[in-house]
Amino acid sequence: MRQRLVVIGNGMAGARTVEEILARGGDFAITMFGDEPYGNYNRIMLSNVLAGVEDESGIFLNDLSWYADNGITLHTGTRIERIDRFARMVYATDGTATPYDKLIIATGSRAFVPPIPGLHRPGRGYHQGVFAFRTLDDTRAMIRYAKEHERAVVIGGGLLGLEAARGLQNHLPHVTLIHAAGHLMNAQLNEVAGETLRATIERKLGIEVVVSAQTTEILGKHAVTGVRLADGRVIGCDVVVVAAGIRANAEMAAASGLVVERGIVVDDQMRAQDEDDIYAVGECAQHRGETYGLVAPLWDQAKVLADHLTGVNPFAEYHGSQVATKLKVAGVDVASMGLKEPERDDDESLTFTEPGKGVYKNVIIRDGRLVGATMVGDVKKVAFLMQAFDRGLALPEERAELMFDLGGPAGEVKVEDMPDDEQVCNCNGVSKGAICSTVQSGCKTVSGVMDKTRAGKGCGTCKPIVQRIVEWAAGGEVEEDPAASYYVPGIPMPKPELMNAIRLHDLRSVSSVFATLGGEEDAKSKMGLASLLKMMWGGDYVDERDARFINDRVHANIQRDGTFSVVPQMKGGVTTPAQLRRIAEVAEKHEVPMVKLTGGQRIDLLGIPKEKLPEVWADLDMPSGYAYGKSFRTVKTCVGSDFCRFGVGDSTALGIALEERYQGIEGPGKMKLAVTGCPRNCAEAYVKDLGVVAIDGGKWEIYVGGAAGAHIRKGDLLTTVDSADEVMVLTGRFLQYYRENANWLERTYAFVPRIGIDRVREIVVDDKDGIAAGLDAAMEASVAAYRDPWKDRDQPATPGQFRTSLPLTVLPQVPVRA
Ligand SMILES: Cc1cc2nc3c(=O)[nH]c(=O)nc-3n(C[C@H](O)[C@H](O)[C@H](O)COP(=O)(O)OP(=O)(O)OC[C@H]3O[C@@H](n4cnc5c(N)ncnc54)[C@H](O)[C@@H]3O)c2cc1C
Ligand code: SF4
Ligand code: SF4
């Protein structure tokens, strides 16, 4: 007779363990009890359901037919009240008694609800308007109630509380988060990181955060009307969500005689202490003194227990898990793992903070291994950090590469070296092997594999690794996600195809493109098309103003108070006393609130009202510096060989020549250039879209794809040339290739890696495709079509071009600095 396996708890750990047992061919008569009325669902996705980014139906992992198909007897909505360890029987609330040979307890946790007066109605559960956040039923009830009310208070500023607060904003207008500790996510973050997060939550999401606040009472007679804090403050609200932590559901086990501390105490095989045939997995288990509140450990535990129970490896052992957390709140990036602060004197610790941008990064290294990392506001490196943390990988010599993309070797694990059972997506417990077999079964797009396996569909951290595995498993035959190659989202065509169609039909306006090719007329697509048409037709395209962003319509950069900034051209950052005098006079005459030097070596006149723009331009009588559009911006230069002791090339002259050539050239994204007179790189040419560096022997190196904004990347060396003339030719050819092939808003730092620097070199330098002459000619045509847009001052493109339309409401005033 088959052994009878009974599982108490049909949540993530219970169902996963059964899946693992089935995958190993385990031959048991399986019965499962779950006190929720459903099949098994992905609990972590409840945050996404609350936030409205995921539909309920999308979170189910195993529907009822899965149990039937696998011969599992499932009792939903049935709670086990007692285990009789001697009679080997479990007793359920429906009065049934079920015998077992092996028993797995996977009862998870429940929300911890602190003993705050007013939270409960005597004998009737929570007070009306109070909710916990643990189950699908909790989430549904919360959504229903929140939709009909105005103000919510979330008690608890940990991961769950933050996700609840963000989710509630989807249903009601005012959310306040109350946290007892001194800073948010204090279990994972140190004080500075927590403070950075608080500022972001308030500024970006508009959630009011109150820290160091004890809730002492829930107010309201029939329904919640507010909460009182220890300092006497009252915060009015109609909804209270308690997210103050979790407690293991272990009372039933304890009452049945099992050893329970914070959870059910288990050994390395997940066996309950002093028991032969009772096991515990998931949040209800306590292993080596630890209980866990995240999913990653339970995937590991389920595997060990399945190996052991099925006899695949009777001696399999679980040794604990390293946990990493990521906040699932769109627009607020937080990831943390391991230590939040150094502990030993010899721990290496690197910290980077940029409070203005809400960025805090910290890594802690011990004996050459990553033992802690915190990323707030920028989690680009988190995939690698998680791997390094989890697997104790060797770290890059250049420690800063742990925090920034410096363009060096990525320091990532090779996909081929990863074992098949290595977990790639922690949220959904997907291994490398599962991804590979999906590819082998014929699914060869990254998004298709993500849909099928659910890898990367949780917090999203693992997406880059999922992509690399799909590429590797497909052996170079990975199929492009078609939408990823569209130039603009509204027209389903890659750029070369779109350009051919535009030429074929002789389309010269944005509206004619939509009329002829179809598609969806969204603002982003219109702007991208306007830019493309201008590049293709030069002066012969029809400039429909509604397709353009305000900056492009008035050739100036709109500021937060609705005024504009005026940046006149200053080629290569070189100016003259006469120019400076004129700028000073204009600033005085128009009482310009602020005159500021820019990072691109120019002078910015800030605070000019729209209707004054033509007059200011006329008084300046200087061409536009293009400090606003998706276009060529400026060429930053160092002083170079004329004056600098180290200079080996005339960087200033070359910079001016480049700026004269490319002024006003539109593109899919900004194009920032620099020329530097020696590799000391005073003009930062290595981190520009296009950088030129003089080296010994009169030669010049050309770098492409660099960036030093929100994204930091050292450019790739395209080639080394012998003369400034060759620089002119090759830079023009590269820029034209970028203009013709990059998607709208795709900067060179994304474009160059997408194409691959070797391929870019083949095309631009070696002319392998025989298109160099065409690229050169197209660039020449654009250069010849240059016209200073500030000439619009004499002949506005439309009567309302410079008519003031702002502010319709009072906008914040930018402070004037003396
Ligand atoms: C909103 C939310 C967001 C989360 N986000 C993340 C995240 O981003 N990343 C992450 O790693 N983790 C996250 N978690 C935590 C994660 O969901 C849990 O770690 C995981 O669900 C634990 O699985 P489990 O099987 O141990 O417990 P559960 O999934 O809770 O399953 C236990 C099941 O047992 C049932 N049960 C309890 N007692 C009995 C009984 N006596 N008889 C019968 N049935 C019983 C319960 O009703 C429940 O259905 C989140 C949790 C929530 C609530
Ligand atoms: S590894 Fe995959 S998706 Fe996660 S922890 Fe994460 S997505 Fe989350
Ligand atoms: S980059 Fe070289 S040439 Fe230019 S200023 Fe610096 S040291 Fe001088």
Side-chain angles (χ1 to χ4, degrees), residues 486-778:
Y486 300 162
Y487 168 65
V488 285
I491 299 193
M493 280 185 186
K495 195 167 184 181
E497 201 181 303
L498 175 62
M499 287 171 68
N500 283 341
I502 288 172
R503 277 195 206 98
L504 179 73
H505 300 288
D506 195 32
L507 306 174
R508 288 174 189 253
S509 69
V510 172
S511 55
S512 68
V513 174
F514 280 114
T516 313
L517 305 179
E520 273 182 40
E521 292 194 32
D522 60 298
K524 185 176 169 192
S525 300
K526 281 184 178 178
M527 282 191 268
L529 285 173
S531 162
L532 181 66
L533 292 172
K534 186 154 185 226
M535 177 191 84
M536 291 176 64
W537 300 121
D540 289 336
Y541 100 107
V542 181
D543 185 2
E544 290 165 329
R545 311 300 286 179
D546 77 316
R548 301 221 139 212
F549 179 52
I550 177 71
N551 284 7
D552 297 315
R553 292 204 297 270
V554 301
H555 318 301
N557 202 349
I558 191 161
Q559 306 296 305
R560 62 189 288 244
D561 64 352
T563 62
F564 290 82
S565 89
V566 167
V567 180
Q569 188 179 56
M570 218 166 251
K571 289 178 199 155
V574 177
T575 183
T576 62
Q579 264 186 355
L580 290 175
R581 210 172 290 121
R582 205 170 329 131
I583 291 170
E585 281 163 6
V586 171
E588 273 183 354
K589 175 178 168 192
H590 294 278
E591 296 176 348
V592 171
M594 178 144 81
V595 181
K596 170 94 179 64
L597 297 184
T598 72
Q601 300 183 331
R602 299 183 288 187
I603 294 177
D604 193 347
L605 306 176
L606 287 138
I608 315 283
K610 186 173 163 193
E611 66 276 16
K612 282 256 187 164
L613 287 171
E615 203 186 327
V616 171
W617 294 338
D619 289 344
L620 281 170
D621 197 21
M622 291 167 72
S624 165
Y626 278 92
Y628 42 84
K630 302 297 168 217
S631 65
F632 165 88
R633 289 296 183 90
T634 172
V635 185
K636 189 167 180 169
T637 65
C638 72
V639 288
S641 54
D642 270 4
F643 287 92
C644 176
R645 287 179 296 131
F646 304 106
V648 291
D650 189 350
S651 47
T652 310
L654 181 54
I656 292 172
L658 287 170
E659 185 149 355
E660 255 162 21
R661 183 150 194 248
Y662 303 130
Q663 59 192 348
I665 297 285
E666 300 226 354
K670 291 181 228 175
M671 290 169 273
K672 296 185 176 180
L673 278 63
V675 185
T676 188
C678 82
R680 284 178 178 75
N681 192 28
C682 294
E684 298 151 0
Y686 294 129
V687 288
K688 295 291 179 193
D689 293 289
L690 206 163
V692 183
V693 180
I695 57 170
D696 284 338
K699 294 180 188 297
W700 298 91
E701 290 178 338
I702 302 175
Y703 289 85
V704 294
H711 188 92
I712 299 173
R713 181 176 194 272
K714 186 181 172 195
D716 296 317
L717 180 62
L718 178 69
T719 187
T720 304
V721 295
D722 293 325
S723 68
D725 287 346
E726 284 173 273
V727 172
M728 297 303 276
V729 174
L730 290 180
T731 52
R733 200 178 290 163
F734 167 76
L735 288 177
Q736 187 62 23
Y737 179 64
Y738 165 66
R739 296 172 78 207
E740 291 189 12
N741 291 278
N743 296 335
W744 177 236
L745 302 184
E746 184 180 31
R747 291 284 298 269
T748 61
Y749 65 73
F751 173 72
V752 171
R754 174 165 71 83
I755 304 292
I757 184 64
D758 293 340
R759 178 76 185 124
V760 174
R761 194 177 295 119
E762 275 179 12
I763 293 164
V764 173
V765 182
D766 307 333
D767 194 18
K768 274 235 169 98
D769 291 17
I771 58 168
L775 292 171
D776 294 349

Side-chain angles (χ1 to χ4, degrees), residues 2 137 148 178 288 360 470 522 672 685 717 725 735 746:
R2 289 199 299 167
D137 284 351
E148 290 167 5
I178 297 176
R288 296 192 187 181
Y360 173 91
V470 173
D522 60 298
K672 296 185 176 180
L717 180 62
D725 287 346
L735 288 177
E746 184 180 31

